[in-house]
Amino acid sequence: MGLYRDAQEAAEKIKEAESATIISHIDADGIASEAVMRQAISREAIDVKSVFVRQLEPLTMKHVPEDDSLKIFIDLGAGQQNLLEERGLSENEVIIIDHHISQDTDTPYFQVNGLNYGYEKLSAAGIGYFVAKKIDDSNTDLAKIAVVGNVGDMMAREHCGLIGPAREIVEDGVMHGNIIVKENELNCYGISTRPLHFCLSYSDDPYIPGITNNAREAENLLRYDAGIDIKKRNGKWLVWEDLNPEEKRSIISRLALRLYNAGEPTDRLMAEHYIFPDEFRYSPLRNASEFATMLNACGRWIKPKTGSAVCCGDRGEAYRESEYMLRHHRKIIREMMEYIIDNGVTELSHLQYLHVEDKFPDTIVGIGAGMALSKLNWRLPIMILCYLRDENEEGKDYDDVVKVSMRTNERMVREGVDLQAALQIASEKVGGGGGGHKIAAGAYIPRSAEGEFAENVNRILREQSS
Ligand code: C5P
Ligand code: C5P
C-alpha cells in the first residue's frame, strides 16, 4: 500500500543519514511525533537533535540549523514547502512526514503524508510510527506514544475511536503489551483522574441535558439515582476507572435515557479509550487523551522538550515539571473560558468571535476556543484573535501580527464548514497566512487588517454553507 511504501522509503533515507534534525510542532501530536522519531533514529546510533517551533513560517525558519544533517520535518512542512525551498534546502536534505494539506507546488521534497492516500484520521505521530516500524520492526513499543499523538489531534473524535491505519497502531501496542483497549466506555474526558461528577459534567459531545456544565446535577444522578457513593473509603473522589462494569452500565443507561427523553441521539455516548497499563493509576499518563493534554500543557507553554522526555519514559524531573505545567495550563484555560463567557463574543451570521488582545498567549487560544465553543452556540464556528507574543530576543518582529484560531465541530463540518479553506483564503487576501484542518485552523494576519477580517471570514463561511 502507498503509505507503507512511502514510510519504507523514508526509513531507508533515514538509515543512510549520518545525522538528523527533527523539526516538529509544539502541540501534543508534534511532541509525540518527535519522541517517536527521535527514539527510532537514536536506536540506529544516528546522531539526532530536535527543534520545536510553534508554526513553520519565515520567522521561525531561523531555528532550522544550517548544517549537513538530514532535516525531518514532522507534523509540519507539507504546507510550507516553498519556505524550505527559499531557504535553499536541497531534495536530499529533507523528508516531510505530515498530515496537513500539501502546498500546491512543484518542490522536489520527499513526503510521507496520509492525506495522499485519503487517511484523514491519521496524525503525524501515526505516520511517524509507520516510518519508525520500517526503520526497525521492534519499534512497536512506540505505538503507545503514536496513539497519544493521534488522540491529541482528535483523530478518534468523529468515530468515537481510532480507525484505519491509526487503529492498526493500537493493535501493535496491544500486542506489545503497553496498550489496553477499553471498548464501550463513557465518551468522556478524564476517566483516569477526574472526580466522577466533574467528569460527567464536562461531557460536551454529546451534550447531556441537565448534566453537561452542571456538576451538582451529575452528583445527584450518581448518588441518588444510580446509588453510587462517589467518595472512596479513604475520602478520595471516585474516578470512572474505579467503577465496576455494572456501575458503568447503570450510569450509561441513565445518561442514555436523558438523551432519549430530550430527543437526542445516543450513538456518541460511548467511545473507545486507550489505557496504558504501565502507568500508575490516577496518573494523567494513564490514558491517551489525558497524556495528550499533558503534552499540550508542556508544548504550548514552551517546554516541548519536557513533554518529549516524558514520552521517552522520564518519570523523574521531567514528569514533575510536566505535572506543574498541566496545573498551570488548566488554570489559564479556565481563566480564558471565563474571560470569553464574561466578555461575550460578537455574533455574525456564520461566525462568533472575540479579540483577547494580549491577555492570553497565542499558543493556547486555539484550545480555549475549542473548549469555549461547548458553552456557546455550537452552530457558529468560533474565532479568537490575540496579539502574537514572542519568547525570543527578536520579539519586536511580531509587533504587527495578530494570531487567529478557529474551531468548529463535526456536525458543522458535515454541513460544509471548512475552517482551513476559510482562513487560508481570508488571511492570504490581507497578506497573512493560515491553514490547518476543516475543524480546527489558525492564521497570522497583519494588525492593520484586523477590522475587516471577521467580516471576510464570515462571508466565506456563509458561502460554504450555501
Ligand atoms: O494539526 P495540528 O496538530 O497542528 O492541530 C492542532 C490543533 O487542532 C489541536 O489543538 C487539535 O486539538 C486541533 N484539531 C482538532 N481536530 C482535528 C485536528 C486538529 O480539533 N481533526
Ligand atoms: O494554533 P491553533 O491550535 O489554532 O492551530 C490550529 C491548526 O491550524 C493547526 O493545525 C495549525 O497547524 C494550523 N495553523 C496553520 N497556520 C497558522 C496557524 C495555525 O496552518 N498560521
Side-chain angles (χ1 to χ4, degrees), residues 25 27 75 99-100 152-154 157 300 407 437 439-440:
H25 189 203
D27 75 350
D75 197 27
H99 70 130
H100 290 93
D153 242 8
M154 309 289 174
R157 185 164 55 188
R300 298 201 178 244
R407 296 290 189 272
H437 312 272
I439 202 164

Side-chain angles (χ1 to χ4, degrees), residues 115-127:
L115 292 183
N116 289 347
Y117 302 102
Y119 298 123
E120 293 207 352
K121 302 295 175 197
L122 179 63
S123 78
I127 304 168

